[in-house]
Amino acid sequence: MQPRYDSCVNWLQLADCRPILSFDFHSSITQTFTFLKRRDFVGLTGLATGAMFLPSVPGFGGELIDPARLLEQVDPAIKKRLADSALNAAKSAGATYADVRIGRYLNQSIFTREKQVQNIANGESYGAGIRVIANGTWGFAATNTVTEAGMAKAAQLAVQIAKANSKVQKEPVKLAPQKGYGEVTWKTPIQVNAFEVPIKDKVDLLLAANAKALDNGANFVNSALFQINEQKYFASTDGSYIDQDIHRIWPTLGVTAIDRASGKFRTREALSSPMGMGYEYMQPKAQDKIAGPAGTGLVGYKYSYDMLEDATLAAKQAKEKITAKSVTPGKYDLVLDPNHLGLTIHESIGHATELDRVLGYEANYAGTSFATQEWKAKNQPYGSKLVNIIADKTQPGSLGAVGYDDEGVKTKQWDIIKDGKLVDYQKIRDQAHIVGQNESDGCCYSQSWEDVQFQRMANISLKPGTEKMSVDQMISNVDKGIYIAGRGSFSIDQQRYNSQFGGTVFYAIEKGKIAGMLEDVAYQTNTVEFWNSCSAICDQSDYRLFGSFFDGKGQPPQVSAVSHGSSTTRFNAVNVINTARKIG
Amino acid sequence: MAILSKDESQAILKKVVGFTTADECQATLQGRTSGNVRYARNSVSTAGAADNVSLVVEARFGKRAGVATCNQFDDATLRRCVQRAEEIARLAPEDPEYMPLLGPQQYLTPVSYAASTAAITPDFRAQAAGDSIALCTAKQLTGAGYLEDGASFLALRNNKGLEAYQQSTTLDFSVTVRTPDGTGSGYAVADFTDVSKFNAKALTQIAADKAAGSRNAKALEPGKYTVILEPAALVSDEGLLNNLVYNFGAREADEGRSFLSKKGGGNRTGEKLFDPRITIYSDPLNPQAPGGVFDGEGLPVKRMNWVEKGVVKNLYYTRYWAQKTGKQPTAFSGNFIMEGGTQSVQDLIKSTAKGILVTRLWYIRDVDPQTLLFTGLTRDGTFYIENGKIKHPVKNFRFNESPVIMLNNIEAIGKPVRLGGNLVPPLKIRDFTFTSLSDAV
């Protein structure tokens, strides 16, 4: 979480920014960067302050560089030599275990509003982090002097820190055994490297999307494209030398309509998702489009996004939201689109089943979890029998997919909830023994070479229903309900019981049919009651990934990116509140 | 090398600006040396340190601007950095919101730096964590906390004669203490410019007392209650007051997409939107909560009222928006001061017949920007007050409330304390809206 972090981070809206951030920025920007203190960037104007701000956004740090350098790679043979110098230095200094991460973290971000480009930034951060165990205690040091001497010095410092910390250590670190893989490689299976696409083409696409929104009645539109490439080399005293090339991409937009006479304004967010893909995600394909419920005009996107189409619909829907009927509070059957449900899964299952939270390591910040080992031992249902939740680090196209995690463990897929029962947690090498297991789940991650790796959320996804069911069939069975799509306001307590979620578009369902747009909708639930009210799940053909690009955790906070797959799902008799208020 | 003096940093910046052939050039040098220690389950979990200085150069040809950065300061690197900014500027589109760089400015000089804080060592941090842990262990409670301190400087210079420099120090500490059975939890948080005011034990004691006192919480029905919100409930975790202050942008208001937008156009400056006891202002010279004296463009931060006796007095105008609308630009200082009275939280409790004391609000998110409605939950110490005394702990609530409504329902305003770099009083509010219960402890 939070804190602001926690959690999650939802990039709700890009509002006015010049060039990156200013006062004019809608508050939801803070929800994108929730791990930052907003006071640090409110009021930033000017390109230079944007440049000062970006490095404080994890994943968007580093020095600004010429875009041509984004295509360079470092020779693995050189990285192996450097890594060996660090591993040897650590062992000579007394480490019983050591791992090295040599990382080149590249990013490009483009921000636009209406007819103008606000900022384009290309960043690079290169360095190495060395983690050791000495006297049974962890130590970590990082350096941007990536030479044999620089690495050896950092390794010695890490050992020194470990030995100093061992004086207050109560129990020695116990690592689950891990075999060495020798020299191996893994790459995100991309078709088009986003960093090879000319910036002009990307700017043209964003401005074309803005134009579609303005042509269709929007008063304001902001759009952005984030691209990340992690070139990570991992080596450990277990005998692994792992070279990985990871790509992620996220296009997003926010379209605002205003009614001056009434003073009302409404924003409709993009229905895109951040993905572990290349620029092919930006090239729309018919087979990736799933029609939303009849009567909504909505389109869901699987492995490619039609930004122009979504901008057009967003403008129409933003206008429609201004005059939409305000919801009558009460119990409704909810039909939740994957692009909305992903965040609910993230908050109420993803975070609740992270073992470090369960154990209390995040007590001061993100919080703990209701799903303790004692709770699990009672074998009570987390959800209805339909609820099957998979943790995964391998699914193609997902943000969490890597070949090996940041402590050299080959990734896998495992069950978290089976037939409604909690069966496992998310854990890494030094946690496995605490729950009586002898292998890591492979979900260790660090946002950069200079931060220490720790347990982060795997992709946490809801399995589709086994019986054939489309969203229209699902809705036809609902007498009084609400259909929700997209990201909205979200909040959950520090033990993950009580949550409140909004969305970006809401439709009334009456007697099996979509019956017009609603506004001011949020649902308040208790995690276990909510998942136990799950009564139907659409089949595989409706399955899509939702993503969180900037999920935050830890002190000092780090971000990670994670996907949540699901099909449209029904929940019965959920408490819906009306969020409209009157002021002054 | 992180903390450069005014002369050292301006010497580098002078060189940088001298290398340019652009029409306009502004260079920013910033540095920070910081350290941290984190603990949980009564044991130190991580400790770290960072030391970095970086330079940002912005070059402009006409309305075209480019930016480059570097973190080494030999002549060759500086020259390359300037050249790169110039190359990018030549390729950039014209900026329709171009504003010329500022000329020489006058800045305030607050005491925002304490040598004692800049001199903190890893041993000091370990000792603070150790003291906190020892107190928890002795009381058979479980502590988790985080201490981060740092010294920073920020220097600006351009080829129009602007020169700016400020250094600052901060120490942030927070601790959550829980009972081993997980039925009680308490929290304390504080921040300082000068470390000599910091006492890890005293803060841990507060959190420990709240943890022990919050066991066996009783459930109250959700609804509207009189609440006493401690300062941490107002500004910790980006709270309701920070969010109010952040939403004082003139442009969004004028564009029609802010709670300060006026029906039919324009903004609500001059309107009385809050209780007449509410005054919120910026003052970089405040000795308890000193602020930044210039923004990223070098615009001076001055003493400025945002809300005066309940009336919206000023909004934040960027230089571009000020010029477009014929107003004065108003720099954001990064912190704020809310006026209060003399009563402590204890005094506020004494004068309360029935109410709820809130230690902390959590996971605060905007629900509707139209009304500034926010949601979130109470956490780490929520108590029922009856006849001027704390009666018993209560289960945590979810709230849905707007700071605009809240600051019209004022019962009493206590004595401001520093938190998050701001000065914030505890507030007693009537009809605060709790919408559901949470089992979270």
Side-chain angles (χ1 to χ4, degrees):
Chain A
M1 158 178 212
Q2 232 187 18
R4 260 217 34 313
Y5 116 70
D6 181 25
S7 287
C8 291
V9 171
N10 186 5
W11 170 282
L12 288 184
Q13 183 175 6
L14 294 156
D16 180 341
C17 57
R18 207 233 93 81
I20 298 267
L21 297 163
S22 75
F23 303 122
D24 306 321
F25 222 100
H26 182 276
S27 62
S28 58
I29 181 73
T30 61
Q31 298 184 333
T32 299
F33 301 120
T34 43
F35 44 86
L36 295 176
K37 291 202 162 117
R38 191 162 180 225
R39 70 167 190 246
D40 295 340
F41 60 90
V42 169
L44 294 183
T45 58
L47 274 179
T49 42
M52 285 157 59
F53 167 75
L54 266 185
S56 64
V57 178
F60 285 85
E63 299 303 319
L64 299 180
I65 57 165
D66 186 309
R69 284 187 55 197
L70 298 170
L71 300 175
E72 295 169 1
Q73 295 262 357
V74 180
D75 182 356
I78 296 173
K79 290 191 273 194
K80 180 168 188 301
R81 201 176 67 226
L82 292 166
D84 278 334
S85 70
L87 296 177
N88 291 335
K91 281 190 284 191
S92 326
T96 54
Y97 168 85
D99 59 37
V100 180
R101 291 177 298 113
I102 302 173
R104 191 161 172 263
Y105 291 77
L106 303 168
N107 62 77
Q108 182 180 81
S109 51
I110 303 172
F111 296 84
T112 75
R113 71 171 281 176
E114 289 93 52
K115 295 174 180 173
Q116 71 204 65
V117 176
Q118 295 172 283
N119 205 351
I120 300 170
N122 301 287
E124 174 193 26
S125 175
Y126 183 49
I130 295 144
R131 187 177 67 151
V132 303
I133 297 176
N135 292 354
T137 305
W138 284 121
F140 177 78
T143 181
N144 60 359
T145 307
V146 192
T147 62
E148 289 183 50
M151 304 273 294
K153 199 175 150 201
Q156 285 153 2
L157 179 60
V159 173
Q160 200 185 324
I161 291 170
K163 287 180 174 171
N165 285 347
S166 71
K167 288 171 196 153
V168 291
Q169 179 82 351
K170 289 179 182 142
E171 289 168 52
V173 175
K174 216 167 141 185
L175 284 187
Q178 181 58 49
K179 71 164 187 169
Y181 295 107
E183 290 183 49
V184 291
T185 63
W186 191 88
K187 284 179 196 294
T188 304
I190 57 171
Q191 290 161 26
V192 183
N193 183 348
F195 292 94
E196 288 176 6
V197 176
I199 290 174
K200 184 177 180 302
D201 293 4
K202 301 173 194 172
V203 166
D204 287 349
L205 175 59
L206 295 185
L207 292 179
N210 293 0
K212 285 283 183 196
L214 295 171
D215 290 347
N216 284 282
N219 295 87
F220 300 102
V221 52
N222 293 80
S223 56
L225 181 62
F226 298 94
Q227 301 138 91
I228 293 224
N229 176 211
E230 297 179 351
Q231 299 171 3
K232 305 200 282 197
Y233 189 82
F234 174 91
S236 77
T237 50
D238 292 328
S240 286
Y241 296 91
I242 301 167
D243 197 28
Q244 299 194 89
D245 188 22
I246 317 291
H247 286 260
R248 299 196 281 271
I249 190 165
W250 186 20
T252 187
L253 51 82
V255 177
T256 303
I258 285 169
D259 180 44
R260 289 272 179 192
S262 66
K264 277 186 94 168
F265 60 95
R266 285 292 185 267
T267 298
R268 200 282 226 164
E269 309 294 343
L271 294 176
S272 60
S273 177
M275 300 292 285
M277 296 181 68
Y279 202 71
E280 65 274 11
Y281 183 63
M282 304 303 294
Q283 299 162 338
K285 294 160 201 76
Q287 74 265 23
D288 288 325
K289 295 184 183 183
I290 300 174
T296 64
L298 287 164
V299 179
Y301 301 101
K302 284 187 163 172
Y303 294 98
S304 63
Y305 175 51
D306 191 336
M307 198 169 200
L308 302 185
E309 177 183 72
D310 196 32
T312 304
L313 184 63
K316 292 176 184 163
Q317 291 185 325
K319 275 169 68 181
E320 197 182 347
K321 280 161 73 77
I322 288 185
T323 52
K325 184 177 167 243
S326 194
V327 70
T328 306
K331 301 263 185 197
Y332 291 86
D333 291 352
L334 299 184
V335 176
L336 303 180
D337 174 74
N339 200 283
H340 167 88
L341 183 59
L343 193 52
T344 305
I345 295 170
H346 177 93
E347 298 287 21
S348 65
I349 300 177
H351 280 308
T353 58
E354 291 182 284
L355 190 56
D356 58 353
R357 295 183 61 125
V358 169
L359 295 172
Y361 286 103
E362 296 291 329
N364 188 43
Y365 191 39
T368 56
S369 174
F370 76 92
T372 59
Q373 295 174 80
E374 297 74 36
W375 187 91
K376 179 171 173 281
K378 289 182 195 158
N379 208 26
Q380 54 203 341
Y382 201 115
S384 74
K385 290 221 159 83
L386 296 176
V387 177
N388 286 284
I389 296 282
I390 301 279
D392 166 82
K393 290 287 291 176
T394 62
Q395 189 174 351
S398 72
L399 294 166
V402 288
Y404 305 83
D405 77 354
D406 281 351
E407 55 180 2
V409 177
K410 200 171 171 44
T411 54
K412 65 173 185 182
Q413 192 181 81
W414 71 105
D415 289 325
I416 296 290
I417 295 175
K418 220 174 166 181
D419 302 327
K421 297 276 177 67
L422 178 65
V423 294
D424 207 348
Y425 296 105
Q426 307 165 60
K427 66 201 92 67
I428 57 175
R429 286 187 69 187
D430 63 1
Q431 299 171 329
H433 72 96
I434 300 173
V435 285
Q437 295 182 13
N438 56 12
E439 71 169 44
S440 161
D441 294 325
C443 54
C444 193
Y445 176 77
S446 169
Q447 66 182 7
S448 78
W449 54 268
E450 60 187 324
D451 297 285
V452 69
Q453 60 269 54
F454 68 135
Q455 185 256 301
R456 297 309 304 257
M457 196 188 296
N459 299 317
I460 296 289
S461 298
L462 176 66
K463 271 194 187 173
T466 47
E467 284 170 39
K468 193 155 173 49
M469 184 183 287
S470 68
V471 63
D472 282 330
Q473 285 168 325
M474 180 177 280
I475 285 174
S476 70
N477 297 327
V478 174
D479 193 46
K480 179 198 172 197
I482 299 173
Y483 174 84
I484 304 178
R487 298 157 184 255
S489 179
F490 58 96
S491 168
I492 190 163
D493 68 51
Q494 80 278 9
Q495 290 191 310
R496 309 276 144 178
Y497 287 102
N498 175 311
S499 53
Q500 177 175 317
F501 295 99
T504 200
V505 286
F506 315 93
Y507 286 90
I509 302 170
E510 286 167 15
K511 302 201 174 1
K513 291 216 159 62
I514 292 288
M517 203 181 244
L518 292 173
E519 270 295 284
D520 310 320
V521 177
Y523 56 97
Q524 278 189 5
T525 73
N526 168 290
T527 295
V528 171
E529 280 172 25
F530 176 77
W531 285 104
N532 275 286
S533 76
C534 174
S535 61
I537 305 177
C538 288
D539 63 45
Q540 177 70 40
S541 67
D542 190 58
Y543 184 89
R544 277 159 279 159
L545 294 174
F546 164 94
S548 175
F549 215 59
F550 297 110
D551 182 31
K553 183 166 122 178
Q555 285 178 311
Q558 291 190 40
V559 296
S560 77
V562 61
S563 292
H564 304 288
S566 64
S567 301
T568 303
T569 303
R570 175 177 171 177
F571 298 86
N572 286 351
V574 179
N575 184 35
V576 169
I577 63 166
N578 181 303
T579 61
R581 294 289 187 279
K582 264 203 143 72
I583 56 166
Chain B
M1 71 173 292
I3 305 306
L4 300 184
S5 70
K6 182 177 178 178
D7 290 347
E8 288 167 330
S9 49
Q10 290 297 344
I12 293 175
L13 292 173
K14 203 169 177 180
K15 222 187 267 183
V16 170
V17 172
F19 288 150
T20 192
T21 58
D23 301 339
E24 292 185 292
C25 178
Q26 181 152 310
T28 307
L29 194 62
Q30 57 180 353
R32 178 169 160 85
T33 304
S34 66
N36 64 68
V37 64
R38 188 181 199 209
Y39 54 101
R41 292 159 60 102
N42 287 348
S43 190
V44 170
S45 47
T46 57
D51 183 349
N52 195 29
V53 179
S54 63
L55 174 74
V56 181
V57 179
E58 176 172 353
R60 299 170 169 190
F61 294 98
K63 293 182 173 179
R64 300 172 195 277
V67 173
T69 63
C70 66
N71 59 2
Q72 286 173 34
F73 307 106
D74 57 279
D75 283 8
T77 306
L78 295 178
R79 236 180 245 284
R80 260 203 316 278
C81 190
V82 172
Q83 281 165 2
R84 201 144 47 78
E86 291 176 353
E87 283 160 18
I88 294 168
R90 287 199 182 90
L91 298 171
E94 289 203 344
D95 179 2
E97 299 185 6
Y98 164 85
M99 291 293 294
L101 293 178
L102 289 166
Q105 304 288 319
Q106 292 292 319
Y107 301 113
L108 302 171
T109 50
V111 183
S112 52
Y113 180 91
S116 56
T117 308
I120 289 176
T121 61
D123 285 343
F124 174 90
R125 286 177 213 119
Q127 184 65 48
D131 288 350
S132 177
I133 290 168
L135 192 149
C136 295
T137 311
K139 293 175 180 292
Q140 292 177 317
L141 297 168
T142 308
Y146 182 65
L147 166 64
E148 180 172 328
D149 57 82
S152 319
F153 78 94
L154 180 62
L156 253 66
R157 189 181 188 97
N158 69 26
N159 66 350
K160 296 292 163 82
L162 180 139
E163 257 184 74
Y165 178 85
Q166 187 175 14
Q167 53 182 8
S168 60
T169 50
T170 53
L171 179 149
D172 286 89
F173 175 76
S174 60
V175 58
T176 302
V177 179
R178 295 174 65 77
T179 61
D181 63 358
T183 61
S185 185
Y187 178 68
V189 59
D191 59 281
F192 309 90
T193 299
D194 184 346
V195 62
S196 64
K197 294 177 180 161
F198 166 58
N199 183 338
K201 266 188 206 163
L203 288 159
T204 307
Q205 182 70 53
I206 294 170
D209 289 346
K210 285 195 169 171
S214 62
R215 281 187 176 110
N216 305 318
K218 293 179 187 170
L220 291 185
E221 279 299 309
K224 288 190 185 286
Y225 285 91
T226 293
V227 294
I228 295 169
L229 301 174
E230 293 195 23
L234 291 163
V235 293
S236 173
D237 309 312
E238 301 279 295
L240 294 169
L241 287 187
N242 318 67
N243 276 299
L244 174 71
V245 172
Y246 299 152
N247 278 285
F248 264 55
R251 185 174 186 169
E252 280 209 331
D254 290 341
E255 286 180 342
R257 42 176 167 168
S258 156
F259 80 103
L260 290 168
S261 301
K262 200 171 184 165
K263 256 186 211 176
N267 65 55
R268 304 185 69 177
T269 306
E271 291 186 32
K272 190 187 157 297
L273 282 189
F274 308 99
D275 183 283
R277 285 167 287 179
I278 302 298
T279 294
I280 298 172
Y281 62 99
S282 293
D283 180 9
L285 290 178
N286 186 287
Q288 269 178 284
V293 294
F294 53 89
D295 72 4
E297 291 179 278
L299 191 65
V301 176
K302 298 173 181 157
R303 179 170 164 139
M304 168 90 53
N305 279 354
W306 307 110
V307 179
E308 187 180 322
K309 296 180 175 156
V311 176
V312 176
K313 291 301 275 192
N314 289 290
L315 305 183
Y316 309 129
Y317 283 87
T318 60
R319 294 178 61 224
Y320 167 73
W321 200 249
Q323 187 200 44
K324 199 176 151 104
T325 55
K327 306 280 184 189
Q328 285 298 311
T330 46
F332 179 75
S333 66
N335 65 341
F336 66 90
I337 291 159
M338 182 165 170
E339 275 186 1
T342 56
Q343 294 187 87
S344 66
V345 171
Q346 283 310 318
D347 296 334
L348 295 178
I349 292 170
K350 266 182 216 161
S351 64
T352 303
K354 275 184 186 173
I356 291 169
L357 175 68
V358 178
T359 299
R360 182 182 186 185
L361 296 177
W362 174 247
Y363 218 129
I364 301 158
R365 289 292 186 276
D366 59 336
V367 175
D368 187 356
Q370 185 99 50
T371 57
L372 273 198
L373 185 73
F374 286 84
T375 189
L377 299 110
T378 65
R379 173 177 175 180
D380 302 324
T382 311
F383 301 94
Y384 181 63
I385 302 164
E386 204 174 81
N387 300 326
K389 288 206 174 101
I390 287 182
K391 198 81 173 151
H392 56 75
V394 294
K395 277 197 165 190
N396 286 308
F397 289 105
R398 171 173 294 286
F399 71 89
N400 274 266
E401 191 56 272
S402 163
V404 184
I405 295 170
M406 177 178 98
L407 296 182
N408 275 293
N409 291 345
I410 295 282
E411 291 280 304
I413 305 181
K415 185 172 185 246
V417 299
R418 172 166 166 166
L419 202 57
N422 314 294
L423 274 192
V424 183
L427 297 178
K428 194 201 289 192
I429 310 281
R430 65 178 173 275
D431 292 335
F432 192 83
T433 311
F434 291 124
T435 53
S436 56
L437 281 176
S438 168
D439 290 324
V441 175

